[in-house]
Amino acid sequence: MVVAVRASPLVFLPSSPFAASRNLKKLCSNTIISLNIGLQSSSSKPSCITISSIKCSASSTSAIVSKEEEPLPLEVNEIKTMCKTWVWRGYNINYLSYQGRNNDTSRPSLLLVHGFGASVTHWRRNIATLAQNYRVYAIDLLGFGASDKPEGFAYNMETWAQLILDFVNEVIQRPTVLVGNSVGSLACVIAAADPSQTSIQGLVLLNCAGGMNNKAIVDDWRIKLLSPLLWLVDFLLNQKSIASAIFNRVKQRENLKNILLSVYGNKESVDEDLVDIIRTPADAEGALDAFVSIVTGPPGPNPVQLIPKMTLPILVLWGDQDPFTPIDGPVGRYFSSLPSQKPNVSLFLLEGVGHCPHDDRPDLVHEKLLPWLSNLPVADNVVT
């Protein structure tokens, strides 16, 4: 029994202590599964069955590994240690580049773009799965995560879109599919709509926002009803002392967790790591300025104006329990109508899922995303 267990780890050579931890969990899981199958296959000679079920050649162990449903999520600290810095217009931008075992250069790279208040680590449950067949990049937009948060900066959607385009052209330098959530989705739409860009091969939009803030959605009765309150909030947030008090209250651990629970359909996904993912950057210098600028600033271009002109493949995934951009709201209704109007758009409604589908129910997202990616046309390898 000891000899058999020692033979298996050769398939799980770790590249880091974090990877070693994940691989050990996989090894233990595979051994137990093999043992159970062996015991259930026959009721005779249980001791012999136990030995044969644990002993396996390198080829049989590889077969077990290849049948794993999905790799385990990356640890938050592991992601942070792998991140790099790219200097854009004098600002430090945090990003991750992650490559799995399959280095198929015929496939496009993927760039993951987070939503409001999030960061690279919000993709913890997606990176390893996507990296099995693609080189995966993830970026912290200016003002979020570990990227710079310059004092007094006037944030807007167009700036983020330009950052994305420059990152693709200067860092990735290959055909790329943009995958965005919330305002990250909208930034991806604006970037892809740039008539001069030739590098973006497809868009994946996860509960796309209608603007940088709710002022963009003027034709929703819910927003009209709340519009006086929204303008009052803008006024109050422009008072430094009031803004600081509101911001500090929002980012208190219990308050933040309650907000996340209201946004996620799968409450089990709201763990302590998620709270830290959102809360830690909020303590950084410049975070308050970014919060005020984004909430009170111009909403930016609307996807309703941009998407009709697009011909590149677009996959829309929408959580049906999203309280921020509900499927029955104006933005949700617009995206729901697209597949019947534009053959390049595919849409899937994800039941029981909230505003952040990739972290809420990553299994449902991967179930739709991976086949869609595999059917994309092969493009040239270098961005010109």
Side-chain angles (χ1 to χ4, degrees), residues 70-363:
E70 286 190 358
L72 290 171
L74 297 180
E75 301 288 344
V76 171
N77 286 336
E78 179 180 10
I79 296 174
K80 290 180 178 180
T81 60
M82 292 188 293
C83 282
K84 304 175 183 178
T85 299
W86 168 59
V87 179
W88 179 73
R89 299 184 178 182
Y91 301 118
N92 291 326
I93 303 300
N94 184 63
Y95 77 95
L96 172 76
S97 173
Y98 194 89
Q99 176 68 60
R101 295 178 180 176
N102 187 349
N103 192 23
D104 186 351
T105 57
S106 68
R107 298 174 183 265
S109 295
L110 307 181
L111 175 58
L112 313 180
V113 185
H114 62 81
F116 179 77
S119 61
V120 166
T121 49
H122 201 204
W123 301 98
R124 57 192 171 143
R125 294 179 168 136
N126 316 104
I127 294 168
T129 295
L130 298 175
Q132 287 181 307
N133 294 297
Y134 302 90
R135 175 171 286 278
V136 177
Y137 293 84
I139 192 170
D140 283 348
L141 295 173
L142 187 70
F144 291 114
S147 289
D148 280 352
K149 303 167 186 63
E151 183 179 357
F153 191 88
Y155 292 89
N156 58 75
M157 295 302 311
E158 293 89 343
T159 296
W160 288 332
Q162 190 59 55
L163 186 156
I164 290 169
L165 284 175
D166 291 345
F167 184 83
V168 171
N169 291 328
E170 296 178 20
V171 178
I172 301 179
Q173 298 184 344
R174 296 188 64 254
T176 302
V177 173
L178 304 181
V179 183
N181 174 226
S182 187
V183 293
S185 281
L186 180 55
C188 291
V189 170
I190 299 169
D194 187 320
S196 66
Q197 74 82 18
T198 59
S199 52
I200 298 171
Q201 302 297 309
L203 282 176
V204 180
L205 310 177
L206 307 173
N207 288 60
C208 185
M212 189 169 72
N213 48 54
N214 282 331
K215 291 195 289 289
I217 314 173
V218 295
D219 57 343
D220 186 352
W221 66 269
R222 288 160 287 206
I223 300 300
K224 288 181 178 178
L225 190 65
L226 294 173
S227 58
L229 179 59
L230 293 175
W231 290 113
L232 175 61
V233 169
D234 278 9
F235 172 78
L236 294 175
L237 287 177
N238 280 301
Q239 316 305 311
K240 189 78 172 181
S241 60
I242 297 176
S244 180
I246 293 173
F247 188 60
N248 287 335
R249 186 171 181 81
V250 168
K251 69 178 184 177
Q252 287 178 6
R253 193 170 196 87
E254 284 306 309
N255 291 339
L256 190 56
K257 187 168 187 177
N258 287 333
I259 293 170
L260 291 168
L261 286 168
S262 72
V263 171
Y264 275 58
N266 177 21
K267 310 306 179 186
E268 293 182 0
S269 291
V270 182
D271 56 14
E272 293 306 312
D273 280 346
L274 176 61
V275 177
D276 287 334
I277 286 170
I278 306 299
R279 190 172 186 270
T280 300
D283 287 330
E285 185 176 353
L288 173 59
D289 285 350
F291 171 76
V292 172
S293 177
I294 293 165
V295 173
T296 64
N302 193 303
V304 176
Q305 303 164 340
L306 301 174
I307 289 183
K309 302 175 184 178
M310 293 185 176
T311 58
L312 78 171
I314 301 175
L315 174 65
V316 181
L317 302 177
W318 211 279
D320 70 344
Q321 293 188 12
D322 183 356
F324 289 165
T325 49
I327 193 63
D328 63 343
V331 178
R333 288 197 305 270
Y334 171 71
F335 278 100
S336 296
S337 71
L338 285 177
S340 63
Q341 303 172 25
K342 294 181 67 63
N344 60 312
V345 178
S346 301
L347 179 141
F348 295 96
L349 194 63
L350 306 179
E351 295 185 7
V353 180
H355 187 63
C356 309
H358 60 290
D359 192 55
D360 193 329
R361 285 295 303 274
D363 54 325

Side-chain angles (χ1 to χ4, degrees), residues 357-374:
H358 60 290
D359 192 55
D360 193 329
R361 285 295 303 274
D363 54 325
L364 298 183
V365 170
H366 299 155
E367 180 182 294
K368 302 301 181 184
L369 174 57
L370 293 174
W372 182 85
L373 287 171
S374 67

